[in-house]
Amino acid sequence: MALEYSYLVACVILFSVHIGAEAIAGNLQYSAKDLVGPRDTLPPPNAAVGRCKRATQNMLESMAMFAPLVIVAVETDRSNATTEFAAGLFFFARVLYAPSYWFGIPWLRSLVWFAGIVGIAMVLLQVLPFVEAV
């Protein structure tokens, strides 16, 4: 299996950690009675729940760009040391991004978000020659 695929699977696992953190934060704010119902009348989320929700949403948005690019890179034989490095950069940036967002660490959060975007861009640049040839 290509190393990029291993990072992609690790990102899926990390995404489940995001969802778990969001659930834990929600359970700390809301009662079980509130959470088992339709949630139509829940009060607004507190800061911690809001940060967890936004981090999860950002992970979803990032994965929507990262995953297809990795698949295209590997399946079109554009996988190389650059795409392997880029996939690792994306994954480890996202590992740091989650807690920096959850705990409200602004500069670190922005820096590692940017590192993740650089990883996505690096894979994109490896895939573009293939796209142009089609």
Side-chain angles (χ1 to χ4, degrees):
M1 174 166 49
L3 181 58
E4 295 91 336
Y5 279 164
S6 297
Y7 281 122
L8 187 55
V9 170
C11 285
V12 171
I13 294 167
L14 180 59
F15 185 59
S16 68
V17 171
H18 276 263
I19 294 168
E22 189 177 332
I24 290 167
N27 280 303
L28 291 173
Q29 178 180 355
Y30 303 110
S31 71
K33 181 183 174 200
D34 291 333
L35 294 175
V36 297
R39 302 179 185 187
D40 295 332
T41 59
L42 286 180
N46 63 26
V49 174
R51 285 193 303 268
C52 287
K53 284 183 175 297
R54 290 188 300 276
T56 301
Q57 181 63 38
N58 188 273
M59 182 66 170
L60 181 62
E61 293 164 359
S62 297
M63 288 288 290
M65 293 183 285
F66 176 70
L69 289 173
V70 164
I71 293 167
V72 169
V74 173
E75 296 303 318
T76 60
D77 295 323
R78 305 298 285 176
S79 174
N80 55 38
T82 299
T83 58
E84 290 175 356
F85 174 81
L89 176 63
F90 177 81
F91 171 73
F92 289 109
R94 298 311 301 193
V95 166
L96 292 173
Y97 179 83
S100 68
Y101 206 137
W102 297 333
F103 299 114
I105 307 169
W107 287 102
L108 178 61
R109 182 198 63 164
S110 297
L111 185 66
V112 295
W113 174 86
F114 184 73
I117 293 299
V118 168
I120 291 170
M122 289 173 70
V123 178
L124 175 63
L125 290 174
Q126 296 300 305
V127 170
L128 279 180
F130 168 76
V131 174
E132 291 172 2
V134 172

